[in-house]
Amino acid sequence: MTILSSGYQIPHDNVSRQLKELIVDPLAQVRGVFPPCVVVVDALDECKDPHSTSLILSALADCAQHLYPLTLIMTSRPEHVIRAQFQERRLSGATDQLVLHDVPLGVVSRDIRCYLEASFPRVKRSFMVPIDWPSREAIEVLTQRSAGLFIYAATVVRFIEDLRYSNPPEQLRRLIASTASSSTTLLDTLYNEILTAACPEPSQDLVDRLKTILGSIVLIRSPLSALNLEQLLGLEQYCVYNTLTSLRSVLSVPDGGDGAIRVIHPTFAEFLLDCKSPDFSIDQQTHHAHLLQCCLKVMTTNLRQNICDLRDPSRLNNEVPDLADRISHSIPPYLQYACLHWAAHLHVHEYLDDVLLRLLDEFVSKYLIFWVEVCSLLGRLNDAAKALNDTQLLLRSIGPRASETATLMSDCVRFITMFFPSISASSLQIYHSALPFAPMGTKLTIIYRDRLITKGAVMVRRGESKTWPRSGTTGSAHGYVLSLAFSPDGRSFISGGDDRMVKLWNTDTHSHLATLSGHTHSVTSVAWSHDGNLIASGSWDKTIRIWDARLGIAVRVLEGHMDGVLSVAFSPDGTTIVSGSFDHTVKVWDAKAGVCQLTLTDHMDWVRSVAFSHNGKYIASGSYDCAVRLWDPLGIIPPRILVGHSKVVSSVVFSPDGTRLLSGGDDNSLIVWVSTLVKSFAQSKPLMPYTTLHSPTTHQKPSLHPMTQSI
């Protein structure tokens, strides 16, 4: 409570910092007196954003050894991303896994039977029913039909005790009378029975309204209350609440209309998306198109200049004392949803008919700048630039009928990028300084500048540019920039320079996000781990630093090289780092423990470049001794010498499928080594190149494009 009441913005901080500040550090202070405690993290797979799930698991992995006396029980369906993270070394060693499908069916059935027997007395206390109801046979039938699925039994109980029907014996009779051949189809049959009971003889109007509401609840990217869902969908007041009143066995519908409506279990959403009944089936493309249309209508109806009625453009957003109240009043949740998620629905739908194109054109030509203002106020301007950039690329693929809209969006991306520092800090600077300085010949400026520049804004008397700069720059970076690397999701990149700093940048807006300081000499090499959680940097100060990419802090310093470090690379699982140095060695490090596991010493000169193969089984290094060497990361098999270069080998890289290794050198050549190098790895004789590509000028560092496999 002390931390939460201190004014520190912990609710808005990243997961790792929240876990450290709210759990790990307080636990350390009471360890020895705090009793053992079990914490359940339920339904991890229901995080809509896989990146958020990854952050949660990564944060837990980082502090797993410091959580005692807490025991965490995490439940999830076996999604690939979640299973992959639990198989990584950091989590696999600290966790035990229980696969429920491996539990004998008899054990699960016994538990389900106990659950049913404990639940029906509660039903009997609420209704007048026969004393011997339900029969043992009925409970046994429900137990068997559950087939090990607790969700079936739980949904049955909620359906039978639903006050909207007030007839438990009849509800039970209907369920037992229904038939299906497997546990999955039994669950589908149950859901179908619930929907049929809620709408026994639905009119076409009710069917359309129910599908519109259910489709929105299932496909919406952030849950909304009944009142806000009505505003988003353009429905009458209380329409959502009244339509869903008989579906509380499958939906969480809070009374009063304020709480968010949620699907109780994802199997119901899956049933609707794969339903065979025309009355209840949800077509994803149709409903994403409808949600896109609703978002565009909401924005074109509600967006306006200075939407929060701020008075002082010199004040930063975070200096406005009542900004949260102004946002709550002027940008309600349904409008926030429309502004933040319209592009997501567009990209899922992809096909744009004339109606959607007209709405999109109206939004872009009349309200786009107001939308940028809202994104600034919500602190989501980075997301706005990415959404616009992705959308304009999609529109250009449609052809001439969307070219004008695409051009305006492209202009707006450049606008956000060029003026990001000012307009992200103060939304009113869009009108007071950004628009006046925007290139006068661009479509965005022609449409918006004259009618939106406010009194007291900056006036440009001469020297106005007519077009956007040819390339977006990050401004002052380091002096000399010596190394670059993208994050795995492509949304950020890092740079290392001769100013001893590692800097973190946003890809879409080119804005500077953080500076990682600690090296005492030039940073020669940077690398990002494949899960995006860690950054490694090598320096002439002889050290490698490992940084937490989310917190921007150094978590480990690797010391052991006798001279400057020239190259660093992560293994695919992020547990190992390889480095090459002026001291002629290649070192293999445990990224978690921060200790050197292996030193490889066969090179006769500086090691300029190192790389891991994508299966983690091989390390390649290029050196000033003109040789490429292929190493076993465990140090068991002697290294292979790849002979072909006549001068310094400046760069090495493996292809994503592991069948090729590329090396580039100061001899103006790029050599392609093929899969035979792996097959003959244990042989002692030098390996000759498969293909040598010569150039009249020296190449810079070659790299292989991961998608097209082109250089």
Side-chain angles (χ1 to χ4, degrees), residues 271 274-278 281:
F271 163 76
D274 196 36
C275 181
K276 301 301 186 288
S277 170
S281 63

Side-chain angles (χ1 to χ4, degrees), residues 219-235:
L219 297 176
I220 207 164
R221 299 185 62 85
S222 178
L224 292 173
S225 68
L227 295 177
N228 279 290
L229 194 58
E230 286 160 357
Q231 292 289 338
L232 179 66
L233 300 178
L235 300 173

Side-chain angles (χ1 to χ4, degrees), residues 379-407:
R380 301 291 291 273
L381 209 52
N382 279 327
D383 296 332
K386 177 171 175 53
L388 282 182
N389 190 52
D390 292 346
T391 302
Q392 64 92 12
L393 291 173
L394 175 63
L395 292 177
R396 291 188 190 281
S397 69
I398 293 176
R401 64 194 185 109
S403 61
E404 294 275 319
T405 305
T407 299

Side-chain angles (χ1 to χ4, degrees), residues 485-488 492-494 504 526-530 532-536 549 570:
F486 273 106
S487 63
S492 307
F493 64 92
I494 47 175
L504 181 64
V526 290
W528 217 306
S529 66
H530 290 249
N533 294 326
L534 297 176
I535 292 168
F570 275 99

